[in-house]
Amino acid sequence: MSDMAEDGEAKCSADVAEGSYFMAGVLAILGLMAAVLVLSGLFHSVLRRVGQPSIISHILAGVVVGPTVLGRMVDLRQLGMKDAGRALGDAIYYIRVVFMFFIGLEMDLRYLRRHLRASIIVAFGGSALCLVLATISGPFFYGLLHPGQRTFQPESLYASTALFMLVLTSTASPVLIRIVTELKITGSETGQLAIGTAFANDIASLAAISMMVVSPTTYDKDGKPLPPPNRLVALPVVKVIMFLWMALNVWVSVRIMVWMTRLVNKTKQGKQYISKYELFAMLVLIVGLSQHVQLFGYSASMTAFIIGITTPREGPTARTLIDRLAYPVHSIIMPLCFSTIGARLDFAKINCFTPTQFLFVVTYTTLLSTIGRVVGTVVAGRMIGIPARETLVLGFLLNVKGYADILAINLGDSTGIWNGAARGVLLLSSIITTFMAGPASAAIVRQQRRAFQYRSHCLQHLKLDQELRVLVCVHGAGSVHSMLTLAELSKGATPVAIYLLHLIELMSSRKYAITHFYHTGDGADEEDDDSGRWGYAPVIDQVVAAVNGFTNGTFIPVRQMTAISSLETMDADVCNGAEDARASLVVVPFHKEQRYDGRMVCRHDNRRELNQRILQRAPCTVGVLVERHDPAGETHSVVAVFLGGPDDREAVAYATRLAAHPSVSVMVTRFLPAGASVHSSTEKEEEAMADEEFMADFYARFVAPGHVSYTERYVSNGPELVESLCSMAGMYSLFVVGKGADGGSAAVTQMTSGMGGLYEECPELGHVGDLLSSDDLSGCCASVLVLRQHNVRQRMKQDPNGVDDGLR
C-alpha cells in the first residue's frame, strides 16, 4: 500500500509539473481566499465588540488557513504549492501593489501639518525610548533567538538590532485610523494628534526600510554574510550610486503619475468622476511604474506607496480612486494582504524553544514595545502640556503594529537575519500589542467621558475668570458667522476656546476613506456635469471659508471639526465632541430659518428631533439659537429673562459673561408673581430659596456696581406674562431665556399658568422660548438663545452604575 501511495504522489507531482492540475491549483487558491474572507468576517463580528481593529481578524484568519491549522489537514504540496502563505502571497502580488498605493493615497498629510510640532515631538519621544531599549536589548534578543549558540557574527548581530529597532518604533497608521474612528475621536485634538504622529512615524520607518532594501546583505544560517554576486556591489560608492539611481527612477515614476493625474483632471474638468476605463488605465499605470522601478532592485510596494502619497488630491482622478477603491480595498484586498502574514506563521517550526521559553521571549518583546512607546509618549506629551490621560491614550494608540514592522520582519526573513522562530515571536508580539491597544485606549476614553459626564458643566458654577469652552454646531456656512459671533461675545474679559463642529448628514451607505470626504449620494451619474457639487467637499469648503473669514477679521482662533453621520446618530457625535473639547456650553441652531419676509420656516424637520436629543443627552449646558438677524453691529443690546429655576439661573449667568464684553449692554428682567404667594411643597420651596440666593449674589456682584441693568415686573398669570413679553419686543437684539421645566417653584407655576394652550409649537424651548421664537409675536426681530442647564443629579439617577468610584 505504501508503494502504491508513493507511486500516486510521484504521478501527481509529475502531473502538476505538466500542468494537468493547473485548474485544481486555481480552485484551491480561490478556496483559500474565500475561507480568509469568511473567517475574517466571523472573527471581526466577535472581536469588534471588545474594541479590536479588523487587522487582528485578518491575521487570525490567515493563521487558521495556514500550516498551523488547515495545513495540518490539507497538503497543498500535492498541488505544487509550498504552503498557504506563499500561495496567497504569490496570487495577490499585483493586488498588494494597489493596496500599498491606496494606503499612501489615504494618508492625508493635513493631519501632520495641522499639528506638526506636537506630532514630531510626540513621535520622537515615543520612538527615542524604544530605540534606546532596542539598542540595549537587541543583542540579548538575538541571543534568545539562538539558544545554545556560543559565538555570533557581529554583522548579523548589528543587522538584527537595527531591524529590531524598526519593529519596536513602528506604528501602523492604517490600523490606528480605524481604532480612532471606532472610538469616535477623529474630530478631537487627541485623535488628530494621534493620526499626525502615526503619519510621522510611518514616514520615518518607511524611509529607513527604503534605504535598507537597496542592495541588502544576505546571511547564511550561521549568521555569516554571504558574498554578493558582484564584488563591485559591496563597495560603498557603488551602493550610493545605486541608491541615487533608484531614487531617480522613483522620482521619475512619481512625476509621471502626477503629470498623468493632472492631465486627466484637465480633460475631465467639471466632471464628478473619471470613467471606469480611465480608472483601469490609471491602475495599470501605477502597477507598471512600480514594476519598472523594481527592475532596478527597489521594492514595487514601496514605490506604489510613494506614488500614492504624492498623488494630487484635487480633481476627479483622486476622487474616483478614493471612492471606487475604498470598499474593495477595506473589504477584500486588506483581509487578503494581512492574512498572508498569519498564513506564513507556522508554530510547528518554532522548535528551538520550549513552551516556557517561547512565552518568555514573546512577553519580553511585548513589554519592551509597550513600555518604550507608552512611557516615551507620556513624557513627551507632558513636556508640551498635554493632559496625562490623553498622553496615555496616545501611547497605547501609537503602539499598534501591522504595517512597517511586517515589512521589517519580512526583510529580516528574506535576508537570513532571522529564522522562523524570530518571525513567530515578532508576529505574535505585534498581534498582542495591537490587541492591547484597542481595549486600553477605549477604557481610558470611556473613563474620561464618564468623568466628564458626572461633573457639573454649567455656566452658573463657572467663575468669570475661568476659561469658557464653547462648542458651536452648524449645518452649513449660513449660520457660521452668527454662531461664532455669539461665542466671541461670550468671552467677556476672559479667554474663550471656540470649537466649531460641522454636522453633515451621511448621504451614502458605502464605506469611505477615513481622512477624506469625497462622497456623493446613490445614483449619481459619473458622466454628468453637476457644476462642481461633489458630495461633501464643497459644503466643507464653504464652512471652512466662512470660518477663515471670521478668524481673519477677529483674530480669534477657531478649532474646526467635521462629523459625517446619519441624523439618527448625530447627537452622539455632538456629545462626543463636547466631551473631547471639555465644553461648558454647546450651541445648536434652531430647526427653523428666517425667510426673506421675516417669518420663520422649517426646511429640515428632522433637525428638530436632533435638537431634542441633544438637549436631553448633552454632557453640559445646551443653548438653542433662534437666529433672526445677523448680530454683527458694533453694539448689542441683550436682555435675560428670569422667572425662576435652574435654567433661568443659567440664562442670567450667561448674560453676566456677555456684560463683560465692551460692545454688549445687558438688562436682566425678573418676573415676580403679583399678589399673595401660593402654598408650595418642600422641594419647590428649596428651588425658590436657591433662586433668591442666586439673585441676591447676582445683584451684589453685578447690579450694585453698575455692570448690569436690572428691572422687575409683576404678573399674575400666563396671559399677563405674554403681554409683558410682547411689550419688550423690538427693544433688544438678543433674548437669553431658560428652557424651564415642569415642577418648578410655586411662583413660576403661577406666572406661567394659562400659557400651555397659547403657544405649544416648540415645547422643547419652554413656554417663554416658544413664545419669543413664534411669528405670532408681532414686532419681535431679535434672536433668541434658549438655555438648558446641565443637571448632574438627573444624569446620576438615569445611570447610577455609570459613575466611577473615585467620583462618588
Side-chain angles (χ1 to χ4, degrees), residues 71 155 181 186 229 252 305 323 346 350 358 412 417 429 446 498 502 615 632 662 673 684 691 751 792:
E155 294 85 353
T181 304
T186 51
V252 171
F305 173 81
D323 196 43
D346 188 0
I350 308 176
F358 181 72
I417 298 174
S429 176
R446 282 197 300 268
I498 303 177
H502 185 191
L615 284 167
K684 292 187 176 182
D691 290 340
M751 289 185 292
V792 180

Side-chain angles (χ1 to χ4, degrees), residues 8 42 103 179 210 457 577 608 709 789:
L42 292 176
I103 293 298
I179 296 178
S210 298
H457 296 280
R608 177 185 179 184
S709 301
Q789 188 183 67

Side-chain angles (χ1 to χ4, degrees), residues 143-201:
L144 289 176
L145 297 179
H146 300 81
Q149 186 173 340
R150 297 182 179 180
T151 59
F152 302 102
Q153 297 296 325
E155 294 85 353
S156 61
L157 181 61
Y158 297 152
S160 173
T161 303
L163 288 176
F164 189 55
M165 293 163 64
L166 268 178
V167 172
L168 292 190
T169 57
S170 65
T171 298
S173 59
V175 182
L176 180 140
I177 289 174
R178 280 147 190 82
I179 296 178
V180 167
T181 304
E182 292 171 3
L183 294 177
K184 290 193 173 183
I185 58 174
T186 51
S188 67
E189 290 188 3
T190 303
Q192 294 183 3
L193 180 59
I195 295 174
T197 307
F199 285 167
N201 267 332

Side-chain angles (χ1 to χ4, degrees), residues 357-427:
Q357 290 175 334
F358 181 72
L359 179 63
F360 173 78
V361 177
V362 172
T363 304
Y364 171 76
T365 308
T366 305
L367 287 178
L368 276 180
S369 176
T370 304
I371 293 174
R373 176 63 66 183
V374 174
V375 174
T377 302
V378 169
V379 173
R382 295 299 295 158
M383 289 176 59
I384 58 177
I386 302 177
R389 287 187 177 180
E390 293 184 11
T391 58
L392 275 177
V393 174
L394 284 173
F396 281 105
L397 285 176
L398 295 173
N399 199 36
V400 295
K401 308 294 183 182
Y403 184 33
D405 59 305
I406 302 300
L407 298 178
I409 295 172
N410 290 337
L411 179 61
D413 188 40
S414 62
T415 56
I417 298 174
W418 290 330
N419 52 22
R423 166 182 282 273
V425 168
L426 293 173
L427 283 179

